[in-house]
Amino acid sequence: MTRMTGGHRILVLGAGYSGMLCAIRTAKLTRRRGGRVTLVNASARFTERLRMHQVAAGQELADLQIPELLEGTGIDFVQGRVTGIDAEAREVRLDAPDGARTLPYDTLVYALGSVADTQATPGVAEHAFTLNDLWAAGALAARLAEIKPIGGTVTVCGGGLTGVEAAAEIAESHPGVRVVLLSRDVPGVLMGEKARGYLHRALERLGVRVRSGVEITKVLPDAVELAGGELVHSDACLWTTGVRVSPLAADAGLEVDGRGRIVVDAGLRSVSHPAVYAVGDAAAVRQGWGEIHGTCQSGIPSAAHAAGSIARRLRGKEPKPFRFGYLHQPVSLGRGDAVIQFTRPDDTPRRWTLTGKRAVAYKEFVSASPWKTYRLTKRYSGALVWPHGGRRIRPGLS
């Protein structure tokens, strides 16, 4: 068993956008109070989840290594897959490259995120691709290379923003491939009429066939079955609808909601186990206007606030309540086009939109590599404005 000695042991599980930010910011804010931060992740490579549709289309991303990103922070990085949490003993079990390990903690940050739900619909786990990680997106890219010479058909299941971005990217990168977008709702349903209209015209220009108002009942090796029995031919099926979180929190006895997310208080602490904080997709966070849905736009602010809450606790103060409001719905439509729907804090659309080249520049800015953001976090402990979106973040230190 691995033992961290000395100081207050802060263990962060998951090095996605939220976990990475929370680890770096917590280390910065708690160093003088004896905070010792350890970051755990299954891979040593940082996964840019916002760009997995680009990987699926055959594009290469920068090789971002987590240990390099953590240089100068004082954070210990442990590569390993979390297999269990003992919330009473305050220990986490890992399956690491060198064997099983156990890490103790005084404070735990749960940032394991979510993945596409491949269990709810028959055949998805066996026959569909996902954008869950680099390996999954790369597997789809390899399949697209196989079917491109024969003009094969790709079915993209789910008309949310991820599905739209993937369909557009694939259609633009592989003009010989037929792309069919299958969705229960109209793509861009949460957008205003102007932005939604632009999105649909862009998909039409790229040759994406949109079929909305359909219910998918099964995925087969060479087809997608719709309610009523209709079969839509598919040489490659990409599943982007529905998400699920790891059962680790529920198995550990933490209070979770109906979707398995950790129920947190206003300071983002577990309501059943105050030594545990939850951020990003794995947290059930309520605001005055409603419940936050998992996106990078909300995950990064929650991570920054959790870091501030932990620092306040080490100073003997109570955490301040988390306040968040949405800012925009940015959607890339291939490499040369995009649409941005600006929103009210509850994510309902405002009148303002950006389209075309200006939207591309805006989208690239908010989806830029996290290196600059994390470097800034290493040096600066005041209020921050994150390029990924959301309102101004005050981490609650004053």
Side-chain angles (χ1 to χ4, degrees), residues 74-130:
I75 297 171
D76 292 324
F77 174 65
V78 176
Q79 183 178 348
R81 182 176 62 86
V82 180
T83 58
I85 300 171
D86 188 332
E88 303 308 320
R90 297 192 182 183
E91 293 179 341
V92 172
R93 297 185 298 278
L94 307 178
D95 183 6
D98 57 351
R101 302 181 65 176
T102 300
L103 297 177
Y105 66 85
D106 298 304
T107 295
L108 180 71
V109 179
Y110 191 99
L112 292 177
S114 64
V115 295
D117 187 356
T118 60
Q119 306 300 318
T121 302
V124 173
E126 296 82 6
H127 307 302
F129 295 89
T130 70

Side-chain angles (χ1 to χ4, degrees), residues 4 12 97 117 119 164 206 223 236 250 256 275 301 314 386:
M4 295 178 286
V12 181
D117 187 356
Q119 306 300 318
V164 168
L206 290 167
V256 299
L314 290 183
W386 299 104

Side-chain angles (χ1 to χ4, degrees), residues 23 60 170 246 331:
E60 291 189 8
I170 292 169
S246 168
V331 187

Side-chain angles (χ1 to χ4, degrees), residues 5-85:
T5 59
H8 186 90
R9 301 164 299 181
I10 303 166
L11 186 59
V12 181
L13 305 182
Y17 290 106
S18 300
M20 181 70 76
L21 185 283
C22 190
I24 294 175
R25 193 159 180 80
T26 300
K28 174 69 175 178
L29 298 178
T30 65
R31 188 173 297 119
R32 294 183 180 180
R33 294 282 172 173
R36 293 195 57 193
V37 179
T38 298
L39 177 62
V40 174
N41 199 61
S43 169
R45 181 172 178 175
F46 181 83
T47 299
E48 295 186 83
R49 287 288 297 271
L50 293 177
R51 295 187 181 274
M52 286 302 97
H53 59 285
Q54 294 177 234
V55 177
Q59 301 165 32
E60 291 189 8
L61 303 183
D63 183 5
L64 305 179
Q65 292 294 314
I66 294 171
E68 294 178 18
L69 185 54
L70 297 179
E71 288 180 359
T73 64
I75 297 171
D76 292 324
F77 174 65
V78 176
Q79 183 178 348
R81 182 176 62 86
V82 180
T83 58
I85 300 171

